[in-house]
Amino acid sequence: METAIIISSFFLVLFAVLALYDGFYLHIFKYQLHNREESKTEHITHTFRAVFFPAILYFLFLKQNNHTAFVIGLTIVLLDILVLGYDAFIEKDSRQFMGGLPRWEYIVHLFVNGFHFASIAVYLSIRLTFQNGEIMISNTNQSPGYFNLLIVNLLPGAIVMAILHVFLCMPKTAPIWNNFRGKINCC
């Protein structure tokens, strides 16, 4: 179990770093997808996924001794997969303003989503067992303290990113960010 927790933690950290670069710097700051009419639906899918991530951290990873929370977490993961599929489907049209999705960003998307779902898959290998033809959900109260510390430290940033994404979906609040971004002479 210890090895699986280390691997899951490693993938979560890699995901968080790449997601910050992709989701914040590229999508919001550099390309400003929320300001482009053809990219608004893509931004909405990113917003759903940004809201799903802290919920996954909380319900799936943090509430380790609660079966109901685990099922809620799994449900959110399934919704996340569906939204990811839709996001990939619309991305070509959404990025026509820049000649399509650059290959290097496509590769970033592969890695960020790979790390995200790998962390979940490894964690599920700890929590789910099969006995007598039934799926059993085991508690992992024995998880090392550093794993819970990692999740607790990822949550505030994930919540801030979710709030920012929601904020940018609203026509009355998005200009506040645009004004702030305009004052930063970068990128």
Side-chain angles (χ1 to χ4, degrees), residues 15-29:
F15 165 74
V17 170
L18 281 177
L20 184 62
Y21 172 72
D22 184 51
F24 177 71
Y25 175 70
L26 292 178
H27 295 176
I28 292 175
F29 203 83

Side-chain angles (χ1 to χ4, degrees), residues 19-35 42-43 46 87 91 95 101 105 109 165 168:
L20 184 62
Y21 172 72
D22 184 51
F24 177 71
Y25 175 70
L26 292 178
H27 295 176
I28 292 175
F29 203 83
K30 184 175 182 181
Y31 299 134
Q32 301 179 54
L33 298 181
H34 59 283
N35 287 331
E42 182 183 359
H43 179 71
H46 295 170
D87 178 47
E91 206 152 36
R95 300 300 187 91
L101 189 67
E105 190 180 352
H109 289 177
H165 275 78
L168 292 174

